[in-house]
Amino acid sequence: MKDFFRSLQYLKRYRVRIGIGMVCVVLIAGIWGGGLGLLLPGAKILVDPEGLHGWVYREFAQDRLNTTLVRKSMRDDRNFYEQHLNSVLEVSGVKKHDKACDLKTGEWVVGRVGPGGQVEPLDDRQMVRYLSQLPLEQASTLSVFDPDSGKFHQVTVQPVEKPTALARAEQKVVIGALTWVHEPQNDAQRLPMFVWLLVLVAVLTLIRGFLTFLQEYLVGTAIARGIMDLRCENYNKVLHLPTTFFSEKGATDAMSRFLQDIGELSRGQNILLGKTLVEPFKAAAVLVVALKLNWQLTLLTVIAGPPAFIMLRKLGKSMHRASKRALQSVSLLLGVLEETLTGIRVVKAYTMEGAERKRFFNVNRQLLKQQYKMERLDAVVGPAIEALGLVFGLVATGLAGYLVFVGSPWFGGKMDPLKFLVWLGTLFALFDPVRKLGKIGPKFQQSDAAAKRIFELLDTTPEKQVKNAPTLGRHCQSIVLENVSFRYPSASDDAVKNVTLTIKAGQSIAFVGANGSGKTTLASMLPRLLDPTAGRILIDGHDISQYSIRSLRRQIGLVTQDTVIFHATIGENIAYGLRRPKQEAVLQAARKAFVDEFTRTLPDGYNTMVGEHGATLSGGQKQRIAIARAVLRDPAILIFDEALSQVDGESEQRIHQTLAEFSKGRTTLMIAHRLQTVLEADLVAVMEQGRITATGRHEQLIESCSAYRALFQNQLQ
Ligand code: ADP
């Protein structure tokens, strides 16, 4: 889970929102627990003859005497009823080793004995009130009836105080609050009490609703902002990754991490801090209520926790694995999509629809397999927790039933049936948040797998850049390659081997060689799209690796074979890379590169939008736009990768004209495929398997270099 927790760092900036959300959560859980706490008083008001007051005083009387007391109606015991009281207080349990009183289980407490020895009979209501307010640590005498022997006798009790300050404070608050509530004398008087209770529940529900809204809104927006920061940081990182990263993993892998993985992560964060954050607090609040009702029985149920935790851990691990594979499959799926959709013309031309459909289906099926597994794991969690909870819950409930009907001195005698019912209710209420929490455990694992992939990207080493690197001045003397070699990370052999070459400023050099001989790799090292694995490149005597990449790239104009055109207007495409391009300069560059020629015929001229990747333009037009882009930057160095195809004869002619004009006074490196380019170059370098095997002018090389002659015959003509 470490990657998931690492992702939470991005929320640090929004800690105030999250903090308020947390406060809301605690309040919500408190209200939730409080609402459940109202169940028993509600039941007492509604159905129990002893009523709310009777119950509260009885609870405190029990505490003082350390016994369990129950109300006993005397209506069935006509003899006693007619002579004495219609209801009495029965001792239903006495705790062992208790010094507080001498009462015995089964006895009825029927009156108090005054200082003069006179007995004043008290029914259960009067008695609990009297007992709950008995002076502490002082002996008081009670009149007690033993139904077994049918005799009255007197018992001395010495009430004890509640042991903790919290319990004492609670007692004070509750008794204080109760004095405000009118004690009903008959059923009709109970109705207003019940209505007030409902009003209280309604108010609490409204407050809880508002707090829930506030919490979800604040946390949700904090997460959205944190995720946006993460996305931006990731994007920034991607922009500074070495180009080899993309050639190895493919751009879609990074894209998939951006969309799918970050989405997954944000879902996980929302689960943790949003709706479900309240669940453990709710569970804790309910647990407090349940423990208060009967701690022994509640603890018995809670034993189910550790086995459930172990089970969830196991499931979580499987979920992590499945989720990681699923995310990889999504990335593959995107890769296939990108390939086929961008190459749709080739797919159609070669009637590869069937094969592509099969390829897509296979990757899709892979994804489905992982999704099946994830669904299975997800679906098993709920029932598994329920089964575990049920077993432990049933054992505890069985025991509770025993306590209601028979009672046990270990649990303080018999259990009040209403209390039992309410305890059972809280048990169900406890189960709900626990089940929800259990279900989200595996979801976190899903998010953790996504976070891992995101941080993998973020932790990739960026392009090498010297800190506070000095600015490289505009090139005006020479470019020197000293024993330069380069090997692609995945390759076993160098793509460029030990190349040493000097190019004077203003010179144009054409690289020729078979496909794969290393021309593109060599040219890519000058703007540091690739860094030599051995050797160095000097511009005007300065090692370019020690200077700022920005100052280096700003003086290089790059026109690649697969021209990059952005989904923007023609004008914007030409001005790409300049902050505030001047309209006039853009037009001039466009004219020089013969872009003007075809743009003029378009209805929107330079404001014409070109399709994605320049889909609405021809190959020659795209390359002319790329040249105009280079012209506009006025670079000291021009790198030109001649297009092999895509360019019609007229475009080719135009491109050459531009190049001849534009390369004047600039150092120009050309990857040449055409004779004319080679003929016009000041120097031709022949490349074979990563090495420069010969340099010279065309006429010299035709004479002296057999490899060049072969190239001339096969390619250049
Ligand atoms: P050229 O431009 O002369 O056609 P390249 O410079 O593109 O040649 O390629 C030189 C060698 O490097 C070739 O053998 C090619 O297979 C290999 N190569 C090119 N790009 C990569 C890459 N991203 N990863 C591994 N090997 C590569």
Side-chain angles (χ1 to χ4, degrees), residues 496-706:
V496 169
K497 294 171 191 151
N498 206 16
V499 169
T500 299
L501 182 72
T502 303
I503 310 162
K504 290 201 203 89
Q507 232 182 8
S508 62
I509 178 164
F511 292 91
V512 293
N515 280 336
S517 58
K519 305 180 293 287
T520 311
T521 309
L522 187 68
S524 303
M525 284 192 271
L526 196 58
R528 292 192 61 195
L529 297 176
L530 301 171
D531 276 323
T533 37
R536 52 187 199 149
I537 300 173
L538 308 167
I539 290 185
D540 298 351
H542 306 298
D543 182 352
I544 56 170
S545 67
Q546 301 303 313
Y547 286 80
S548 99
I549 292 189
R550 196 175 161 78
S551 66
L552 167 73
R553 288 182 186 161
R554 280 173 79 94
Q555 50 182 306
I556 297 175
L558 184 70
V559 181
T560 52
Q561 209 182 86
D562 43 350
T563 326
V564 179
I565 300 287
F566 296 95
H567 188 47
T569 66
I570 293 179
E572 284 163 349
N573 261 300
I574 295 176
Y576 186 78
L578 293 183
R579 279 221 189 107
R580 271 178 236 96
K582 291 207 175 74
Q583 183 72 8
E584 192 42 45
V586 173
L587 289 181
Q588 211 174 0
R591 252 177 256 128
K592 275 190 191 162
F594 297 97
V595 174
D596 206 38
E597 253 179 22
F598 65 87
T599 313
R600 249 185 290 143
T601 60
L602 300 170
D604 289 332
Y606 285 95
N607 293 326
T608 309
M609 285 293 287
V610 294
E612 221 171 313
H613 303 302
T616 50
L617 298 170
S618 78
Q621 288 171 336
K622 278 195 265 189
Q623 200 156 33
R624 280 193 258 172
I625 291 179
I627 294 175
R629 191 186 285 162
V631 169
L632 188 62
R633 286 170 75 106
D634 184 25
I637 301 163
L638 177 69
I639 299 173
F640 180 71
D641 191 346
E642 204 164 43
L644 266 175
S645 52
Q646 297 177 336
V647 180
D648 55 89
E650 200 189 325
S651 266
E652 192 190 325
Q653 204 49 44
R654 294 275 186 257
I655 289 166
H656 270 283
Q657 248 174 297
T658 319
L659 208 62
E661 187 65 30
F662 181 49
S663 60
K664 273 185 202 148
R666 297 171 214 274
T667 312
T668 311
L669 284 77
M670 291 170 295
I671 296 168
H673 298 290
R674 293 170 206 280
L675 185 59
Q676 201 180 350
T677 318
V678 178
L679 290 177
E680 286 166 7
D682 297 327
L683 193 69
V684 180
V686 183
M687 286 200 74
E688 283 176 274
Q689 293 176 358
R691 294 179 201 281
I692 294 187
T693 48
T695 50
R697 284 201 50 105
H698 167 75
E699 306 81 41
Q700 296 166 329
L701 289 172
I702 280 284
E703 293 289 317
S704 61
C705 180
S706 57

Side-chain angles (χ1 to χ4, degrees), residues 252-468:
T252 43
D253 182 70
M255 273 161 70
S256 153
R257 287 173 205 242
F258 262 84
L259 300 173
Q260 175 81 4
D261 298 21
I262 292 191
E264 195 62 66
L265 179 66
S266 119
R267 263 193 294 285
Q269 289 189 346
N270 255 312
I271 289 175
L272 176 70
L273 299 171
K275 282 193 179 71
T276 30
L277 182 63
V278 78
E279 300 301 336
F281 288 92
K282 266 188 185 173
V286 178
L287 195 64
V288 169
V289 177
L291 283 171
K292 240 184 131 31
L293 286 170
N294 194 322
W295 64 269
Q296 297 99 325
L297 289 178
T298 308
L299 282 187
L300 204 66
T301 327
V302 172
I303 293 175
F309 181 75
I310 293 169
M311 181 192 74
L312 284 177
R313 255 186 90 85
K314 283 217 147 136
L315 287 175
K317 276 189 184 151
S318 305
M319 186 61 120
H320 195 283
R321 267 195 305 275
S323 178
K324 190 172 151 200
R325 289 198 194 123
L327 290 168
Q328 282 165 348
S329 299
V330 171
S331 163
L332 277 178
L333 199 73
L334 271 177
V336 175
L337 261 180
E338 203 253 359
E339 248 172 47
T340 40
L341 294 184
T342 51
I344 192 76
R345 292 158 71 98
V346 179
V347 174
K348 281 180 190 288
Y350 285 82
T351 58
M352 285 293 282
E353 291 93 336
E356 289 299 344
R357 195 171 53 223
K358 214 166 174 178
R359 188 156 77 113
F360 187 76
F361 176 77
N362 283 338
V363 182
N364 226 343
R365 199 168 49 182
Q366 270 293 328
L367 178 61
L368 187 72
K369 214 170 109 188
Q370 299 306 330
Q371 282 172 333
Y372 257 62
K373 194 167 172 191
M374 279 163 30
E375 287 301 332
R376 214 166 38 234
L377 288 169
D378 199 32
V380 82
V381 174
I385 292 180
E386 262 167 44
L388 254 177
L390 196 72
V391 170
F392 283 84
L394 280 183
V395 170
T397 311
L399 191 61
Y402 176 80
L403 290 183
V404 170
F405 297 122
V406 183
S408 154
W410 295 96
F411 291 83
K414 275 190 175 184
M415 190 176 181
D416 178 354
L418 259 187
K419 206 172 186 179
F420 163 71
L421 278 179
V422 173
W423 175 79
L424 208 60
T426 50
L427 208 61
F428 278 108
L430 177 67
F431 202 60
D432 185 55
V434 169
R435 195 176 46 90
K436 278 190 190 151
L437 278 176
K439 270 191 86 87
I440 57 165
K443 293 231 161 65
F444 282 139
Q445 295 294 347
Q446 248 168 297
S447 295
D448 188 53
K452 199 179 179 74
R453 279 168 49 85
I454 295 165
F455 288 120
E456 230 171 55
L457 187 71
L458 262 178
D459 294 339
T460 311
T461 324
E463 285 176 317
K464 275 187 222 132
Q465 165 102 277
V466 176
K467 258 198 176 165
N468 302 324

